[in-house]
Amino acid sequence: MTDLKKSIHGEWSSRFAFILAATGSAVGLGNIWKFPYITGENGGGAFVLVYLLCVLLIGIPIMIAETMLGRRSRLNPINTMIVLTEEAEADKNWHYLGWRGVIAGFFILSYYSVVAGWASAYVLKAFTGSFFGADPTAIKSLFDSFVASPVQLIFWHSVFMAATMWIVSRGVNSGLEQAVRFLMPSLFILMMLLVAYAMTTDSYERGVSFMFALDFSKLTANGVLTAMGHAFFTLSLGMGAIMIYGSYLPKNVSISQTVFLIAGTDTAVALLAGIAIFPIVFESGLEPAAGPGLIFQTLPVAFGNMTGGWFFGVLFFVLLVFAALSSSISLIEPAVAWMVENKDMSRKEASIWSCLVTWLLGFGTIFSFNIWSDFKIFDRTIFQLLDYLTANLMLPIGGFCIAVFAGWIMKQHHTEHELAMPNAFSYQVWQFLICYVSPAAVFLVFLHVVGVL
Ligand code: TRP
């Protein structure tokens, strides 16, 4: 089984291609849209610290494990779990892990696409000069009236889903590799530019200290859960996305080094986004806890007032849409690969079906911002519920199971062989983290939220 050398869907042309694709998957709305607003809602510094710890102690070891599972089986996450369970002579219930991931992918993409639609709409707004010289109140009402319109949101959500469908139907290594190659460096440079702009505001220090000054009194149990959930979300872990990308990874590549690089880049982009946004938040007299609209209510203020703002504004939102596209592809790829492998569908048919389902699910999120904004289940709108269910529950549960599977169920000589770490010590560190630290941390956070701790 180990010698199933290539996936039927193709293989990355090199280690670099995998890095690009996995970074493309990791860096997205999670870093630039979600990280700042949840940091704002959860009081800043202490939340950021917990998030960073979670990336290091839970995210990275699990990312190594998830990539490894995929590369070992060379199959979609559902079949990966079936094959590896057999190899380890383990219980058949492990099969559900693959399924749960595919479902989580649909749920996440359904709201992810709606927000990516906002970013697409903002490309046009930037282009037509809507931000020019605008003050924070005008920018805020621009956003409010935009999300109040179901028709506009449906339009942009549809555009984004159509683009995703188009790219996914073409397969992993045609357009995607090329797009990410220029996207990542440009996005990075643009984030630096925004940070530079933030530095020119009087609120720069206040913004930075909001992000890094530790005040644990502001952190609730749910905040800790959100920070942990976000570590999974931002690294694309716990649902099979990284597993499927791992399954296209050539055999001779070092998984651990690659993962460090990807996780490092991802974290850097998120921190830069925060450092750019909070000074503008304070400068504009906005609330850090303004919620999901935060970046759409702050960054246009910067673009509207800086020199060359028209150009940078258009460029920024274009890059954000591309970053979202390279992430959305990984959310749907496990489902598509499964349909191709098991249901005898062509890639095209599989993409159409899965994108259609996601598109329909997206209406729940669209209406959460307007006509159904008062419709709440467990005190949450459909959007909030989907986000909580996936990022805070499904992904950590998936990650927990991946850790247990890789650490306790798989045979040690298999994992050791597959990872081929540079030395025995690194392998032992990983093994310790994956067997004890990561699962225990996830478990403790859950206990904490339930209130047992
Ligand atoms: N990591 C992406 C982001 O930060 C979102 C994402 C892509 C994702 N694929 C995923 C989240 C798989 C969870 C699972 O925007």
Side-chain angles (χ1 to χ4, degrees):
M1 190 280 341
T2 345
D3 291 312
L4 196 60
K5 284 204 182 58
K6 278 196 175 181
S7 160
I8 60 161
H9 308 281
E11 191 171 86
W12 305 115
S13 55
S14 62
R15 166 173 181 257
F16 187 56
F18 170 77
I19 294 180
L20 286 175
T23 314
S25 163
V27 175
L29 296 173
N31 309 59
I32 295 168
W33 160 73
K34 194 172 179 194
F35 174 71
Y37 96 73
I38 55 177
T39 301
E41 284 180 341
N42 289 287
F47 175 87
V48 175
L49 179 70
V50 175
Y51 156 74
L52 291 175
L53 284 175
C54 289
V55 167
L56 199 66
L57 298 177
I58 306 177
I60 291 178
I62 293 183
M63 195 165 182
I64 294 176
E66 194 173 328
T67 315
M68 175 191 77
L69 297 189
R71 189 171 69 178
R72 189 155 183 85
S73 80
R74 300 260 168 230
L75 297 166
N76 69 66
I78 294 174
N79 292 353
T80 293
M81 290 318 298
I82 295 178
V83 169
L84 294 184
T85 306
E86 272 168 26
E87 185 187 61
E89 293 157 14
D91 190 283
K92 285 212 167 43
N93 279 321
W94 283 103
H95 297 180
Y96 291 115
L97 187 55
W99 279 105
R100 187 210 43 83
V102 168
I103 294 168
F106 278 117
F107 283 174
I108 297 176
L109 186 54
S110 80
Y111 67 81
Y112 202 84
S113 162
V114 174
V115 179
W118 299 355
S120 318
Y122 268 61
V123 172
L124 196 67
K125 289 192 199 301
F127 188 80
T128 54
S130 313
F131 312 147
F132 192 68
D135 58 40
T137 345
I139 295 290
K140 184 171 179 326
S141 60
L142 187 75
F143 177 77
D144 291 341
S145 62
F146 170 62
V147 292
S149 154
V151 178
Q152 290 200 48
L153 299 197
I154 291 172
F155 174 77
W156 291 107
H157 165 59
S158 312
V159 170
F160 187 81
M161 278 315 302
T164 305
M165 187 173 79
W166 183 69
I167 301 182
V168 173
S169 66
R170 289 166 40 123
V172 288
N173 40 17
S174 46
L176 180 64
E177 275 188 40
Q178 299 309 325
V180 185
R181 196 177 291 251
F182 98 96
L183 167 86
M184 279 305 140
S186 324
L187 192 65
F188 217 85
I189 294 171
L190 218 67
M191 293 315 302
M192 306 276 243
L193 182 90
L194 283 170
V195 170
Y197 174 81
M199 280 177 170
T200 66
T201 65
D202 294 333
S203 306
Y204 180 66
E205 269 172 31
R206 190 161 162 219
V208 171
S209 90
F210 177 79
M211 264 193 72
F212 296 108
L214 299 180
D215 178 357
F216 282 94
S217 67
K218 292 193 188 137
L219 195 63
T220 59
N222 239 317
V224 175
L225 177 66
T226 307
M228 179 180 77
H230 190 63
F232 284 97
F233 187 91
T234 190
L235 294 175
S236 305
L237 297 181
M239 57 77 59
I242 288 300
M243 205 184 282
I244 192 99
Y245 278 15
S247 79
Y248 306 146
L249 184 64
K251 263 292 173 233
N252 51 0
V253 171
S254 156
I255 295 181
S256 52
Q257 284 168 359
T258 313
V259 162
F260 268 102
L261 198 69
I262 299 166
T265 312
D266 183 75
T267 311
V269 174
L271 293 178
L272 283 177
I275 298 173
I277 285 163
F278 285 110
I280 307 175
V281 169
F282 292 118
E283 191 71 13
S284 326
L286 276 163
E287 271 297 306
L294 190 67
I295 67 157
F296 296 97
Q297 296 168 354
T298 50
L299 295 183
V301 180
F303 296 127
N305 294 296
M306 65 165 81
T307 357
W310 179 85
F311 175 75
F312 293 125
V314 174
L315 188 62
F316 173 80
F317 285 109
V318 167
L319 290 175
L320 188 59
V321 172
F322 275 101
L325 266 177
S326 61
S327 301
S328 68
I329 293 163
S330 75
L331 283 161
I332 202 87
E333 181 66 22
V336 170
W338 176 77
M339 289 186 202
V340 172
E341 281 170 35
N342 294 36
K343 295 285 155 207
D344 220 16
M345 282 190 195
S346 68
R347 255 197 103 77
K348 201 164 156 200
E349 280 171 312
S351 320
I352 293 176
W353 278 113
S354 40
C355 289
L356 197 68
V357 172
T358 325
W359 179 73
L360 282 174
L361 274 175
F363 282 71
T365 294
I366 290 179
F367 297 149
S368 302
F369 290 94
N370 35 66
I371 51 179
W372 290 351
S373 60
D374 292 329
F375 174 71
K376 300 214 167 143
I377 310 168
F378 298 119
D379 214 23
R380 292 186 165 85
T381 61
I382 297 181
F383 159 69
Q384 289 166 333
L385 195 69
L386 279 174
D387 179 37
Y388 194 88
L389 191 72
T390 51
N392 292 10
L393 302 177
M394 292 175 90
L395 299 182
I397 291 172
F400 177 86
C401 296
I402 289 171
V404 171
F405 190 81
W408 296 93
I409 308 289
M410 279 179 81
K411 303 225 173 358
Q412 194 177 328
H413 63 272
H414 287 157
T415 57
E416 202 166 357
H417 170 77
E418 196 63 45
L419 288 177
M421 298 249 190
N423 51 53
F425 179 70
S426 315
Y427 178 74
Q428 278 160 5
V429 171
W430 173 77
Q431 213 190 19
F432 178 71
L433 290 170
I434 207 76
C435 287
Y436 302 101
V437 180
S438 316
V442 176
F443 191 67
L444 287 177
V445 173
F446 278 136
L447 279 187
H448 189 47
V449 173
V450 185
V452 181
L453 274 184

